[in-house]
Amino acid sequence: MRVAITGFGAVTPVGGDAASTWAALVDGRSGVTALDEPWAEPLPVRLAATVGAEALLGLTVREQRRMDRVEQFALLAGREAWRHAGTPETDRDRVAVVVGSAIGGLTSMLEQTERLRDAGPRRVSPHTVTMMMGNGAAAWLSIDVGARAGARAPVSACASGSEAILMARQMILAGDADVVLAGGADACVADLTLAALAQTGALSTRNDDPTAASRPFAAGRDGFVLGEGAAVLVLEREDHARARGVPIHAFLEGAALTSDAFNIVSADPENQARTMSLALRSAGLGPDDISFVHAHATSTPLGDANESRAIVSAVGRTSVTSTKSMVGHLLGASGALGALVATQALRDGRVPGTINADESDPEIEVDVIRRTREGDFQAALVNAFGFGGHNVSLVLTRA
């Protein structure tokens, strides 16, 4: 049995849907901007990749009032993916949703905490709990499409969206569902997260040049840029998709999940390599079959070097890209967006490049794709690694 990708949707800092996001990535346009809001003024890092207000115009006033930003993003991306897949007329007992998030409804938690402090308990929104809860994005999307085969919400830091896609594949192969909406979402650009991440030294401090701040694999990289957004795929059994007569955009041929059991923040590159090798094995492919890797590569000095070594170990000196150079790090949505990008690249024969990477780093031994590259791409590997030692690699093949 093969798992087909029949639809996808996205809300990102460079576009309010998958089509506009893809066009921006292919053109090499950055969504990183300076934060001019008063709350950002005292922060050491005053840049981020945020989603424009126009992206939320598709929501009703009621939806905007009852949902956290992360839930809104997931709902919009999921609805787009569902439409793109032809709005499957499938028994809803055979439809599932799996949407991961690293942080959940943090902005609502911060807003309601401030309201409690300043105005008292009676001013706290009655929707606070459902806006904060980590399963909120999956729950709202399952309600929207009527999915009754499960609404699952993996929380595995920056690997959450990729783990959701892996779990969806497992559900289909196990016969638990015929169609699964799967992906990730995060929306936590706020003073607390920026201050906390800055304290760890993980963020870029290029406040004077935001669009050049995210520079995966480049010499002089100094940290990642916090982003927000969502990406959702529709996965289904190949025979189910064929029977519906809808286009198949790619296949999710294999996937692997491991844990480092090593360090809460530092990764184990040997285990990252093992994850990639296990994913290839599950797909029945070898290193030479991979046309390109969509790397986790966040633009941190150590992280990118470690991943480069892991890729060389598992796949060889293959071609590699990281669209985080344009959208920043979407945390739990990052791996899902990587899978969406890989799907479109395999379908269209174009891989978006890694902007800001012209200054080569001798520690990076892979072939960094710096400009959009055209070719006959047959298979892609998508990596996502998260704090806590969570590792997920997905293998996609051309339809």
Side-chain angles (χ1 to χ4, degrees):
M1 183 191 302
R2 301 179 80 187
V3 176
I5 298 171
T6 56
F8 46 78
V11 176
T12 75
V14 293
D17 55 25
S20 58
T21 293
W22 178 245
L25 295 177
V26 169
D27 289 346
R29 300 199 301 268
S30 174
V32 182
T33 58
L35 293 172
D36 297 326
E37 293 86 344
W39 59 261
E41 188 174 346
L43 297 174
V45 173
R46 296 179 298 281
L47 54 93
T50 58
V51 171
E54 65 278 1
L56 302 178
L57 295 178
L59 296 171
T60 66
V61 173
R62 187 168 183 262
E63 289 167 339
Q64 293 187 41
R65 286 177 177 171
R66 297 182 65 178
M67 297 180 192
D68 182 84
R69 193 171 174 85
V70 66
E71 297 167 340
Q72 294 169 5
F73 291 165
L75 185 63
L76 288 167
R79 284 174 173 170
E80 182 191 5
W82 197 244
R83 291 193 304 269
H84 190 221
T87 313
E89 294 295 329
T90 303
D91 178 0
R92 292 306 191 259
D93 290 344
R94 303 290 300 165
V95 177
V97 169
V98 190
V99 178
S101 178
I103 305 295
L106 177 68
T107 54
S108 290
M109 182 185 296
L110 294 175
E111 288 169 359
Q112 296 304 316
T113 299
E114 183 177 0
R115 184 177 294 185
L116 173 65
R117 184 183 62 240
D118 295 345
R122 292 188 178 278
R123 299 299 297 171
V124 172
S125 169
H127 305 298
T128 300
V129 172
T130 53
M131 291 191 291
M132 292 191 309
M133 62 190 195
N135 64 311
W140 279 114
L141 187 53
S142 72
I143 293 167
D144 198 65
V145 301
R148 294 195 295 263
R152 304 171 72 176
V155 179
S156 47
C158 306
S160 299
S162 286
E163 183 169 346
I165 293 170
L166 176 146
M167 290 172 66
R169 179 176 182 268
Q170 290 175 333
M171 293 182 75
I172 292 170
L173 294 179
D176 295 331
D178 296 327
V179 181
V180 185
L181 278 155
D186 261 308
C188 56
V189 177
D191 52 2
L192 177 63
T193 43
L194 286 166
L197 287 167
Q199 284 292 89
T200 70
L203 295 181
S204 171
T205 57
R206 294 175 186 266
N207 295 316
D208 57 341
D209 194 5
T211 60
S214 186
R215 41 201 313 112
F217 298 124
R221 60 188 182 277
D222 69 328
F224 72 82
V225 172
L226 184 60
E228 63 176 6
V232 176
L233 307 180
V234 175
L235 309 176
E236 61 183 296
R237 291 195 342 259
E238 179 186 10
D239 62 331
H240 190 275
R242 301 284 187 203
R244 293 200 300 119
V246 296
I248 293 175
H249 305 290
F251 290 102
L252 179 57
E253 210 72 66
L257 177 153
T258 70
S259 53
D260 286 345
F262 174 67
N263 186 282
I264 198 68
V265 292
S266 297
D268 179 357
E270 290 186 6
N271 205 43
Q272 290 178 346
R274 184 173 74 94
T275 311
M276 290 181 247
S277 296
L278 289 172
L280 288 173
R281 185 187 305 172
S282 77
L285 299 178
D288 293 341
D289 295 315
I290 297 300
S291 303
F292 67 92
V293 175
H294 189 288
H296 180 67
T298 62
S299 186
T300 61
L302 182 59
D304 290 8
N306 280 342
E307 186 176 6
S308 173
R309 284 190 285 271
I311 291 170
V312 170
S313 175
V315 189
R317 291 178 172 81
T318 188
S319 299
V320 176
T321 193
S322 174
T323 51
K324 288 185 181 71
S325 59
M326 292 171 274
V327 298
H329 193 352
L330 306 189
L331 303 184
S334 61
L337 181 61
L340 188 156
V341 169
T343 297
Q344 292 184 278
L346 292 168
R347 184 193 65 182
D348 295 354
R350 292 184 295 173
V351 179
T354 305
I355 69 170
N356 303 323
D358 291 330
E359 188 181 358
S360 298
D361 181 345
E363 281 196 276
I364 305 301
E365 298 181 358
V366 293
D367 168 34
V368 179
I369 301 173
R370 294 179 169 83
R371 303 288 183 275
T372 293
R373 184 179 295 179
E374 298 185 359
D376 182 23
F377 306 111
Q378 296 298 316
L381 184 69
V382 179
N383 287 334
F385 309 126
F387 278 3
H390 302 276
N391 307 305
V392 179
S393 291
L394 308 174
V395 177
L396 286 76
T397 58
R398 184 174 174 181

